[in-house]
């Protein structure tokens, strides 16, 4: 998908965990995921789905509030690990 | 550890008053007005207010110590006072400018007793969401909200209230706002006829009024940060301390009774069965006491270092404290009823007063539902492969 700083797969997985985000609204890099409805249970689901989708494993040190703060922050970690595993 | 060396003397002064009214506030489900007046007069309402604002300048170790002492005399009074202090800590950590300069000295002088309004119909106890929205009429913010459970709500001089940030904001955008009693119309909408914790008089209220925008605490929509840094950690510390203090006093009473000639003929203190049962009670309280002091240390240290307490392990520790304290102190008092038996343990007119403590401590798992915290802890556990234990 052009115009997004992340891949279409990432956007699809992430949106599944944001119940307060309108289906037609654009997801912005610095949106607050917590404000869009990502709670602690949803964070585990998102983590597992992202790891499966991209064939990566986040280290415990990456599992901070900051990583799950915004689409851009999470994508930065995913993209780094994705690059490393290729 | 204690920042207030004369804390023990202040507590000694208030304890007789608190103890004297414990039975009547329970029977009548009435606010412990005398005990709270004595706490205000002693300066303990301002325990956590920094000295520069006229307070005692105490820290979280003083808070948990005092809460335990008070709870031994009356758990309801301890909880009312403890939740006031939880609100005070929130203001000390997050209020700025004229709000801080106005409220902190009044708290220190014992003129401002604070109540907490977070629970709301439609969302239950969930701390980090809100339904009713603040409205901005250009001059001020309009507060209008149902508050089904407000400890001491009819007696409060001020309120800390969670509201949705604005009518077009999502339910996770929560704003914390301070309101003086005289800025609000406060109407009683529900009673408080409960099994225990009756003296907290946690009635339902309908709250409406106008407050200046300067009375928002922290950032608009940013209550999550306040909850993580202040309200949740201090809540878990002070509640756990209250429950432990009540259970500990119950064990002290029980041991005194077992060692006296008052004990019933049926209880054989020389038996291994009695010894085993008493040991189980003691162990539960030992574990809660040690864990409470370790988590207090952790919160104090991370605050001193400017850390946010939002790390996976710190959150697990805080949740664990609340759930372990709630489960263990209730289990302990349940076992004590069994040890003391029907006459001394279960009767309302027994001098051991175990039945009141039993009823009171039954609330612990409900006072912010253990289930919510367990679900959160389970999720966080899966994110900590290294298993960083406290
Ligand atoms: C003594 C006392 C004083 C209080 N004082 C105040 C006060 O001053 N101000 C205030 O605002 N509130 C106060 N409260 C309310 C308190 O903060 C909680 O909101 C309330 O106890 C929760 O009530 P609940 O069990 O109906 O709601 P909920 O927390 O909504 O729970 C409802 C039910 O759902 C279950 N549940 C909830 N979430 C989950 C989940 N994620 N997974 C599985 N099960 C779940 C719970 O276990 C429970 O059975 C007080 C409560 C008590 C007992």
């Amino acid at each position: 998908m052009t115009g997004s700083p992340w891949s279409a797969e990432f956007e699809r997985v992430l949106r599944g965990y944001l119940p307060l985000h309108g289906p037609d609204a654009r997801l912005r890099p610095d949106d607050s995921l917590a404000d869009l409805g990502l709670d602690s249970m949803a964070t585990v689901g998102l983590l597992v789905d992202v790891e499966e989708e991209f064939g990566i494993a986040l280290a415990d040190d990456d599992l901070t509030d900051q990583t799950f703060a915004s689409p851009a922050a999470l994508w930065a970690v995913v993209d780094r690990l994705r690059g490393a595993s290729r | 550890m204690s920042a207030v060396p004369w804390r023990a003397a202040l507590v000694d002064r208030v304890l007789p008053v608190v103890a004297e009214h414990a039975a009547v506030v329970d029977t009548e489900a009435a606010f412990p007005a005398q005990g709270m007046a004595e706490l205000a007069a002693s300066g303990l309402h301002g325990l956590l207010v920094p000295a520069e604002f006229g307070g005692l300048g105490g820290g979280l170790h003083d808070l948990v110590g005092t809460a335990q002492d008070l709870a031994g005399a009356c758990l309801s009074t301890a909880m009312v006072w403890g939740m006031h202090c939880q609100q005070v800590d929130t203001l000390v950590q997050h209020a700025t400018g004229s709000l801080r300069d106005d409220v902190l000295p009044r708290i220190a002088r014992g003129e401002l007793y604070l109540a907490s309004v977070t629970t709301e119909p439609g969302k239950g106890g969930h701390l980090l969401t809100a339904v009713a929205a603040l409205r901005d009429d250009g001059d001020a913010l309009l507060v209008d909200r149902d508050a089904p459970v407000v400890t001491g709500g009819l007696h409060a001089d001020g309120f800390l209230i969670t509201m949705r940030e604005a009518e077009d904001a999502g339910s996770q955008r929560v704003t914390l706002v301070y309101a003086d009693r005289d800025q609000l119309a406060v109407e009683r909408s529900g009673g408080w006829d409960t099994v225990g914790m009756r003296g907290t008089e946690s009635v339902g209220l309908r709250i409406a009024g106008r407050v200046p925008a300067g009375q928002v605490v922290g950032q608009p929509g940013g209550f999550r940060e306040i909850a993580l840094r202040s309200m949740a950690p201090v809540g878990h510390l002070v509640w756990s301390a209250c429950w432990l203090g009540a259970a500990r006093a119950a064990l002290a009473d029980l041991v005194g009774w077992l060692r006296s000639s008052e004990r019933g003929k049926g209880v054989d203190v020389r038996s291994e069965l009695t010894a085993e049962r008493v040991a189980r009670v003691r162990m539960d309280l030992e574990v809660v006491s040690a864990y409470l002091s370790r988590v207090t240390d952790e919160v104090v240290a991370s605050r001193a270092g400017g850390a946010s307490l939002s790390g996976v392990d710190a959150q697990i520790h805080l949740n664990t404290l609340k759930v372990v304290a709630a489960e263990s102190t209730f289990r302990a008092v349940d076992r004590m009823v069994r040890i003391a038996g029907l006459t001394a343990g279960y009767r309302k007119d027994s001098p051991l007063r175990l039945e009141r403590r039993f009823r009171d401590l039954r609330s612990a798992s409900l006072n912010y539902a253990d289930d919510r915290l367990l679900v959160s802890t389970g999720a966080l556990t899966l994110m900590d492969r290294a298993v960083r234990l406290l």
Side-chain angles (χ1 to χ4, degrees), chain A residues 60, chain B residues 312-313 316-317 380-390:
Chain A
D60 280 351
Chain B
V312 168
D313 49 338
I316 290 176
H317 303 157
L380 293 164
T381 295
L382 294 175
M383 303 184 68
D384 184 27
R385 264 181 298 229
V387 192
R388 286 163 294 179
L389 301 177
L390 180 64

Side-chain angles (χ1 to χ4, degrees), chain B residues 16-36:
Chain B
V17 182
V18 171
E20 184 192 337
H21 294 91
V24 65
V25 303
D26 173 54
T27 314
E28 294 176 6
F31 185 76
Q34 289 87 347
M36 286 296 283

Side-chain angles (χ1 to χ4, degrees), chain B residues 83 116 118-119 124-125 149-151 197 202 366-367 369 371-372 375:
Chain B
M83 288 179 59
S116 163
T118 61
T119 304
V149 195
V150 187
T151 290
M197 300 307 291
S202 304
L366 309 174
N367 193 352
D371 290 340
R372 284 187 188 280
V375 168

Side-chain angles (χ1 to χ4, degrees), chain A residues 20 32 34-38 40-41 43-44 47 51 57-61 63 65 68, chain B residues 170-173 221 224 228 310 312 315 375-376 379-380 382-388:
Chain A
L20 303 178
S32 158
D35 288 352
L36 298 176
L38 188 76
S40 55
M41 266 320 274
T43 303
V44 174
L47 170 67
E51 288 185 335
L58 274 73
D60 280 351
D61 286 346
L63 301 181
D65 250 23
F68 293 95
Chain B
S171 60
Q172 314 282 108
R173 296 285 306 173
R224 186 184 150 79
L228 285 176
S310 67
V312 168
Q315 281 192 59
V375 168
S376 158
L380 293 164
L382 294 175
M383 303 184 68
D384 184 27
R385 264 181 298 229
V387 192
R388 286 163 294 179

Side-chain angles (χ1 to χ4, degrees), chain B residues 156-241:
Chain B
D157 306 300
F159 298 81
L160 279 176
I161 306 166
T162 55
M163 298 282 296
R164 198 152 52 87
E165 182 184 11
E167 274 165 307
D168 58 358
S171 60
Q172 314 282 108
R173 296 285 306 173
V174 180
T175 298
L176 184 69
V177 59
Y178 170 78
D180 260 337
R181 174 67 185 81
D182 59 15
Q183 292 173 316
L184 298 173
V186 176
E187 202 181 295
R188 182 189 171 120
S189 60
W192 180 252
D193 189 4
T194 48
V195 172
M197 300 307 291
R198 295 171 56 82
T200 64
E201 208 193 282
S202 304
V203 293
L205 299 178
R206 171 103 205 158
I207 291 175
R210 299 174 78 236
V211 299
Q215 287 180 208
V216 168
V217 182
Q219 296 301 313
F223 174 65
R224 186 184 150 79
E225 189 60 28
I226 296 177
L228 285 176
R229 277 178 176 270
S230 190
M231 214 175 250
V234 176
H236 291 196
L237 290 176
V238 79
W239 297 337
S240 303

